[in-house]
Amino acid sequence: MITIDRLNKRFGGLHVLQDVSTTIHKGDVVSIIGPSGCGKSTFLRCLNLLERPDSGHVFIDGEDMLAAGTNIAAVRQKMNMVFQSFNLFSHLSILENLTLGPIQLKGADPAAAKDKAMELLRLVGLAEKFGHFPDELSGGQKQRIAIARCLAMDPEVILFDEPTSALDPTMVREVLSVIRKLAKDGMTMLIVTHEMDFARDVSTRVFYMDSGGIHEDSTPEQIFQNPQKAKTRAFINRTRSLSFPIETRDFDFYGMNAQIEAFCEKHLLAKRLRQNVLLLVEEVLQVHRPQLGEGLLTLTLEYSERLNRLELICTQEGPDRHPLEGDHLPDEFGVLIIRSLVESLEYSYGDGRTRLAMAVRAGAPLGGE
């Protein structure tokens, strides 16, 4: 239905969209998620030509919308947009807001346009407001009216640009219920959203955008339960990290500990968890000490807010040698302490590096108090 081929958009020296390519099928409900500034809204605005791409192609039903002579008004009728700021005409009644476009742009019969507008107002639960003006409505009601106005133009695709970002939680639920109804009815939609639960529940596909492109495109189940890309995992799990590269035995141990404590305090981690991670770091360094200087050792703390999980990840350049197993161990008691401080432990080797990932135990160490 929609084919996007190597779409690029720049604002001055900022390359916002970088060779974006994908295909949207009829009936797809695509939620677009990602960090602020990654190009999500610009991507939507380029699709219906509110922003003109610098290069690339957008085909809808085989027609290149960026070709010379394209009827932009007709394009926007096919691919209509709902904005976060509603964009209703304040001097017109609700009914007039819905009938203006069909009558003036599509030549609809005024009586038929009014009948259809009332039908759409019933769809979004606001038929009784037909004679009111936008300023008499709540934010959630305005957004539902904006959706009804969009539907009045009989679009093939609806683009939603963060439709709930300006609303309080009660109003958010009003609007999302209407979008769920449209999804159930088979409307093709692309939705830029920060509502992760909604994206997981209503979508057929999820785009995770980062650095000007679609970094991962998959089902909601894949994206939210088992994302394949590291950036996607970090975003979904709301992961924060802190890394320490250690090249020699003469590194600043106390400075590192101070940063770890500050990291734990910033993320309001429990006292026991802080104590465990500090002890774990100390014991891990003792295990690695004989190899310090032979290859870069990097300690990384990763805290997932969504999972409430703290991991210590140790990577070291060198041979495939499990740091907690084998004859090279300087202190077997230290290994026992490490294992008592973690809930899980995974070792792997690749690209000339060992990797040891340990989920830090939140409670007392095994065998402890």
Side-chain angles (χ1 to χ4, degrees):
M1 184 178 186
I2 305 172
T3 300
I4 299 145
D5 181 32
R6 293 170 294 172
L7 204 63
N8 283 273
K9 179 64 182 177
R10 292 178 173 83
F11 293 105
L14 186 61
H15 198 170
V16 179
L17 297 180
Q18 303 179 29
D19 287 327
V20 177
S21 296
T22 190
T23 299
I24 310 297
H25 306 288
K26 185 175 178 61
D28 275 352
V29 179
V30 181
S31 288
I32 304 171
I33 63 173
S36 298
C38 70
K40 303 184 297 294
S41 294
T42 300
F43 177 56
L44 286 197
R45 293 174 68 85
C46 283
L47 293 187
N48 77 341
L49 305 184
L50 286 171
E51 297 286 354
R52 188 81 184 182
D54 296 316
S55 63
H57 300 276
V58 178
F59 298 91
I60 181 167
D61 296 331
E63 178 185 0
D64 189 350
M65 299 194 306
L66 300 178
T70 297
N71 185 336
I72 294 178
V75 166
R76 290 179 183 153
Q77 289 179 30
K78 284 187 174 183
M79 197 166 358
N80 218 323
M81 192 162 184
V82 175
F83 302 87
Q84 55 183 291
S85 55
F86 322 131
N87 287 11
L88 300 175
F89 294 110
S90 60
H91 65 289
L92 299 179
S93 72
I94 298 307
L95 187 62
E96 289 168 334
N97 264 279
L98 265 66
T99 58
L100 181 66
I103 292 171
Q104 293 198 359
L105 299 178
K106 301 185 72 173
D109 174 72
K114 288 181 181 179
D115 288 344
K116 182 173 183 179
M118 289 304 299
E119 180 184 333
L120 291 172
L121 288 174
R122 292 186 190 98
L123 174 70
V124 300
L126 292 170
E128 66 179 9
K129 303 292 186 182
F130 74 94
H132 288 63
F133 288 82
D135 288 346
E136 300 177 88
L137 305 182
S138 70
Q141 290 172 331
K142 289 178 185 178
Q143 194 62 289
R144 284 187 278 160
I145 295 298
I147 294 171
R149 183 182 62 177
C150 176
L151 291 169
M153 297 300 291
D154 295 316
E156 297 179 25
V157 182
I158 301 181
L159 310 176
F160 290 91
D161 186 12
E162 299 193 42
T164 61
S165 64
L167 307 177
D168 67 33
T170 300
M171 297 176 185
V172 166
R173 287 191 287 273
E174 297 174 15
V175 174
L176 296 185
S177 293
V178 172
I179 298 176
R180 282 192 175 93
K181 174 68 166 60
L182 296 178
K184 186 177 180 181
D185 292 344
M187 174 61 72
T188 306
M189 297 183 284
L190 283 80
I191 309 164
V192 170
T193 183
H194 290 291
E195 301 286 340
M196 296 297 106
D197 290 340
F198 171 75
R200 181 176 55 243
D201 294 343
V202 79
S203 308
T204 60
R205 293 165 67 187
V206 176
F207 293 171
Y208 172 70
M209 290 191 68
D210 204 313
S211 303
I214 298 173
H215 191 67
E216 190 163 351
D217 167 9
S218 192
T219 63
E221 292 78 10
Q222 181 78 56
I223 292 291
F224 289 103
Q225 296 179 20
N226 188 29
Q228 300 301 295
K229 304 289 184 69
K231 285 185 177 181
T232 314
R233 286 195 296 274
F235 180 82
I236 294 299
N237 293 328
R238 298 190 294 276
T239 301
R240 305 294 181 265
S241 63
L242 181 67
S243 291
F244 303 94
I246 299 172
E247 297 182 280
T248 71
R249 298 182 183 184
D250 298 323
F251 69 96
D252 185 357
F253 174 77
Y254 296 105
M256 180 184 68
N257 268 13
Q259 290 186 58
I260 291 173
E261 290 193 68
F263 178 85
C264 292
E265 289 174 4
K266 178 180 178 180
H267 297 293
L268 305 177
L269 302 187
K271 181 179 179 181
R272 170 61 74 180
L273 186 57
R274 299 184 201 184
Q275 293 172 339
N276 286 354
V277 73
L278 287 169
L279 179 55
L280 179 62
V281 167
E282 183 175 354
E283 294 298 332
V284 164
L285 286 172
Q286 287 298 322
V287 169
H288 281 86
R289 183 165 291 276
Q291 287 79 45
L292 290 182
E294 296 179 8
L296 177 66
L297 171 67
T298 302
L299 302 186
T300 302
L301 282 180
E302 288 191 354
Y303 174 62
S304 167
E305 181 182 339
R306 185 173 75 92
L307 302 176
N308 191 27
R309 174 187 172 100
L310 181 66
E311 278 194 312
L312 175 65
I313 302 170
C314 308
T315 60
Q316 186 170 31
E317 298 172 348
D320 184 359
R321 181 171 55 193
H322 196 305
L324 303 185
E325 298 177 0
D327 298 334
H328 62 281
L329 292 176
D331 182 2
E332 292 188 6
F333 183 67
V335 173
L336 293 176
I337 294 176
I338 290 171
R339 293 188 181 278
S340 75
L341 290 167
V342 301
E343 295 178 345
S344 64
L345 186 153
E346 295 181 4
Y347 172 78
S348 61
Y349 182 78
D351 298 324
R353 294 183 182 88
T354 62
R355 183 180 188 273
L356 186 64
M358 296 163 283
V360 185
R361 189 176 298 280
L366 292 181
E369 60 184 30

